[in-house]
Amino acid sequence: MPRYGDAESVMWFDVEPFCMFHLINCFEEGDEVVVQGLRSADSVIPGPRLNKQEILPERSELKKDGKAMKQGINEKLFSRLFEWRLNLKTKTVSGEYLTGTECSLEFPMINNHYTGVRHSYGYAQIVDSLTRSASSSEKVLPKYGGFAKLCLEERENTETSAEDLIKMEIHRLSEDEFCSGASFVPRVGGSHEDDGWIISFVHNERTNTSQVHIIDTQKFEGAPVAKITLPQRVPYGFHGTFVHNNIHGHVNTRSEKKLDNLKFIY
């Protein structure tokens, strides 16, 4: 629908059925509207087509070293970055996968200054499906063992793949660590789109401690620039966002440390 359109100006585009929980971004490019999101064949929420046994792994088995074995991700639920192009002139739609099958991705984010316009980078949590305990039959939803940086303007150009996939950088968490609630926080006065940090809650299931990890997105595969141990457990799924304190137009002229002029909203 055009920005100032009405019900009569709505255009519909038919696409192959799929499931998508989260968009990354949408923007206009010439006669096309570009839609980017994380696409899977089916939903992780149990329903008529899938039951819990198909979605969730059975009880974990332990290796000889006492560590839990990782469970594979159901192919129906594997989520990859997909791009649709809706041509407003020809009323046709085309699309392609931008990421491969090495990582299943969810909970994407971008530099919010680029919402609605063409952008070069995105970030997402990497699915790492694991049962809660080897001594319990309780089943859990997939958990997230790291982060991916999506370099949308760079292609892998691998000879082994027929798909034209984008470059990805990976930040892996340590064994038994899982993340949730990640946000991208742009550096105030930063000169590049990816100048900022990923800030996320991280829980270590072996030590039962929660931390905040701060990752420099321009040194994405390196160690976090800071880890802040929290006095309480942060449950999986807790999330929020960061907003600058001059969001209403007020410019703070006080000398402040990095990140001090950002507020966490939940």
Side-chain angles (χ1 to χ4, degrees), residues 4-168:
Y4 301 104
D6 54 24
E8 299 301 320
S9 59
V10 173
M11 296 175 61
W12 294 95
F13 294 84
D14 293 324
V15 298
E16 180 183 351
F18 63 93
C19 175
M20 179 173 62
F21 287 112
H22 297 106
L23 287 167
I24 290 184
N25 202 8
C26 303
F27 54 90
E28 296 173 320
E29 195 170 81
D31 294 325
E32 297 179 322
V33 172
V34 181
V35 181
Q36 298 168 339
L38 297 176
R39 166 179 168 167
S40 62
D42 217 320
S43 171
V44 72
I45 300 174
R49 296 184 302 276
L50 289 176
N51 57 45
K52 286 186 178 181
Q53 284 68 39
E54 290 181 278
I55 294 173
L56 302 173
E58 295 296 335
R59 181 185 306 177
S60 290
E61 297 180 4
L62 292 183
K63 302 177 184 178
K64 292 182 180 180
D65 60 5
K67 295 179 179 178
M69 294 177 63
K70 295 180 180 180
Q71 305 290 334
I73 301 169
N74 189 310
E75 183 179 349
K76 295 179 183 178
L77 310 176
F78 199 97
S79 184
R80 301 166 60 189
L81 176 57
F82 196 91
E83 181 178 274
W84 294 265
R85 289 182 169 267
L86 314 179
N87 192 301
L88 304 180
K89 191 172 183 180
T90 63
K91 298 183 179 181
T92 58
V93 58
S94 60
E96 62 174 340
Y97 281 108
L98 298 183
T99 59
T101 56
E102 66 273 22
C103 292
S104 181
L105 306 172
E106 253 305 337
F107 296 104
M109 67 209 94
I110 63 171
N111 183 331
N112 286 334
H113 293 156
Y114 289 79
T115 299
V117 298
R118 186 178 180 88
H119 61 120
S120 299
Y121 300 99
Y123 311 88
Q125 296 177 187
I126 298 175
V127 179
D128 185 348
S129 185
L130 200 70
T131 54
R132 188 186 305 277
S133 170
S135 60
S136 169
S137 60
E138 184 180 3
K139 299 172 183 178
V140 299
L141 293 173
K143 294 181 286 192
Y144 303 90
F147 307 96
K149 179 179 180 179
L150 311 170
C151 304
L152 298 164
E153 302 294 337
E154 300 180 58
R155 299 288 171 153
E156 288 286 6
N157 296 322
T158 58
E159 297 180 359
T160 57
S161 175
E163 298 173 303
D164 189 18
L165 305 178
I166 63 169
K167 176 185 174 183
M168 282 201 309

Side-chain angles (χ1 to χ4, degrees), residues 222-236:
V225 297
K227 295 181 182 181
I228 305 168
T229 300
L230 303 174
Q232 299 292 336
R233 164 74 195 276
V234 178
Y236 295 135

